[in-house]
Amino acid sequence: MSGEMFSGTLEEMALIERHILMLKATKENQPVGIIKLSELLDIPKHKVRYSLRLLERDGLIVATQDGAIVTEKYEQFMNELSEKLDQIINRVNEIRDEVTGE
């Protein structure tokens, strides 16, 4: 079976994981800049920049003169993300049960 059907899904999951790591590292090291995040997470600077741009667009971080900091939306976002991930896990388990005939 070809993995083509799920390659986009796996790539999207990797991108989401990178954004979450970036958000958590920002909270733990704030204020923090691109170079420091790149070193901390061993992620290329251009990918750090992209993730920070998206997190800022979503209102989860804000750029300051000293570096990025998380906003008041951080805790609510992480709680909602945890709930969404639980829903995804449940759905994946349902699909797996259909595949395995359980």
Side-chain angles (χ1 to χ4, degrees):
M1 177 176 151
S2 172
E4 296 294 319
M5 184 186 328
F6 299 106
S7 65
T9 302
L10 296 175
E11 289 172 12
E12 186 71 20
M13 288 174 64
L15 185 60
I16 291 168
E17 180 182 20
R18 187 176 84 216
H19 295 331
I20 292 167
L21 290 172
M22 199 79 52
L23 186 57
K24 288 181 73 175
T26 299
K27 177 157 177 52
E28 293 166 3
N29 297 281
Q30 60 187 339
V32 64
I34 291 170
I35 294 170
K36 179 72 171 177
L37 283 171
S38 176
E39 292 170 354
L40 285 170
L41 299 171
D42 196 27
I43 296 174
K45 289 188 264 311
H46 71 280
K47 290 185 177 189
V48 170
R49 193 174 294 112
Y50 176 73
S51 290
L52 289 177
R53 189 175 336 128
L54 293 182
L55 293 170
E56 186 174 18
R57 181 198 68 193
D58 290 344
L60 295 168
I61 65 163
V62 65
T64 71
Q65 190 171 3
D66 297 322
I69 60 171
V70 298
T71 68
E72 70 282 349
K73 293 182 178 183
Y74 176 85
E75 294 298 333
Q76 180 181 352
F77 171 79
M78 293 303 263
N79 290 334
E80 290 174 1
L81 177 62
S82 180
E83 291 174 13
K84 288 283 186 200
L85 290 172
D86 285 341
Q87 291 171 2
I88 291 168
I89 290 167
N90 289 336
R91 186 66 185 120
V92 167
N93 286 333
E94 290 170 2
I95 293 169
R96 184 178 49 216
D97 288 348
E98 288 182 27
V99 170
T100 61
E102 294 180 16

